[in-house]
Amino acid sequence: MIYPRIIAHRCGGALTPENTLAGLRLAARLGCRGVEFDAMLAADGVPVLIHDETLDRTTSGRGYVADMSSASFIRLDAGGHYHPAFAGESPPTLDEALRLCAAIGLWANVEIKPSAGQEAQTGRVVARHAAAAQGQMLLSSFSSAALCAAADAAEAVPRALLVEAIPEDWRRRIAESGARALHSSARLLTAEALDAVRDTGIPLACYTVNHRDDAERLFALGVSAVFTDRPDLWLSSEM
Ligand code: G3P
Ligand code: MG
């Protein structure tokens, strides 16, 4: 599998409000080839971009994402919390984000981010939307149930298993979900786990790497890609 080396985290990293179209546009302007964002189901089952199960941290809304319709969700403000300059920025649906990625040539890692109890349903719905979209993308999730449901719904859309520390049973979990790659925390990565993954030839991408030196060290050790909040640290020719 071919990865962009530098993947902007939550759309535009720390340079824009997270999980917004403003982030995707900035990532593209910086020369990023890849972005990552989080997709969760709104109350009506429409996948929308947001990281937390609750609206409070990143939007003008209150309460659970799973209790709000997508029509109400996209009327919230996802920019004002970050900076008044972004006030009025709408939180997008997954379809809107995928359309923009295709239009501006961004490879997208859609992280399936289920609300508690909605693992399989979220995996299934996100995979169907991804399969219907144009452009290059990869699904990932911390939830094996979500990944397996995504595989059942849209086998052709590639998947990666997402973990914090690489667990003992990572090979089994990769095999069960038909994942082609592993995404793990850079901070929790051990030399033993890295060697074991590298020996299998399965690509490994690490989050969240906000210093160039750390990224270069990981690349030298065989890591394929890094997720970063600071895509501005690289020139477009280096991404
Ligand atoms: O997909 C990599 C990374 O985004 C996982 O952590 O919490 O930022 O979604 P989080
Ligand atoms: Mg994420």
Side-chain angles (χ1 to χ4, degrees):
M1 225 172 54
I2 308 296
Y3 273 86
R5 272 163 40 99
I6 308 298
I7 302 168
H9 183 224
R10 302 187 191 175
C11 287
L15 308 173
T16 54
E18 67 183 56
N19 287 311
T20 62
L21 301 185
L24 297 180
R25 292 193 186 95
L26 182 74
R29 286 169 72 168
L30 290 172
C32 279
R33 293 185 293 121
V35 290
E36 182 264 2
F37 46 78
D38 307 295
M40 193 179 294
L41 300 185
D44 50 0
V46 173
V48 296
L49 261 58
I50 190 157
H51 180 275
D52 300 359
E53 281 192 57
T54 49
L55 300 157
D56 305 48
R57 181 178 62 86
T58 55
T59 78
S60 54
R62 293 287 171 268
Y64 287 93
V65 178
D67 290 339
M68 180 174 276
S69 70
S70 57
S72 299
F73 178 83
I74 60 173
R75 285 199 294 270
L76 297 174
D77 177 0
H81 273 252
Y82 175 86
H83 193 281
F86 287 94
E89 176 76 25
S90 295
T93 64
L94 173 62
D95 288 349
E96 287 175 309
L98 289 176
R99 261 199 306 276
L100 180 58
C101 286
I104 60 183
L106 286 170
W107 173 98
N109 173 201
V110 183
E111 185 193 332
I112 305 166
K113 199 69 127 177
S115 293
Q118 300 196 358
E119 288 78 9
Q121 190 194 353
T122 309
R124 208 161 35 239
V125 172
V126 168
R128 286 200 191 116
H129 281 253
Q134 307 286 318
Q136 296 217 305
M137 68 201 78
L138 170 70
L139 303 177
S140 65
S141 189
F142 286 111
S143 162
S144 288
L147 282 183
C148 290
D152 288 343
E155 171 61 34
V157 184
R159 294 169 301 284
L161 174 65
L162 177 56
V163 295
E164 291 176 341
I166 296 176
E168 289 280 318
D169 62 348
W170 67 273
R171 287 183 191 77
R172 180 184 60 77
R173 289 185 60 194
I174 287 236
E176 275 174 8
S177 57
R180 298 189 200 171
L182 187 60
H183 295 176
S184 81
S185 159
R187 193 171 50 81
L188 301 175
L189 185 63
T190 63
E192 295 72 32
L194 176 57
D195 287 348
V197 177
R198 202 178 36 214
D199 287 350
T200 65
I202 290 171
L204 175 66
C206 291
Y207 63 90
T208 306
V209 181
N210 294 333
H211 297 280
R212 263 193 82 126
D213 290 354
D214 295 335
E216 300 308 336
R217 202 165 29 249
L218 290 166
F219 293 141
L221 292 170
V223 168
S224 297
V226 294
F227 299 89
T228 185
D229 290 325
R230 293 294 309 277
D232 56 316
L233 297 179
W234 283 268
L235 299 172
S236 65
S237 58
E238 299 170 318
M239 300 210 240

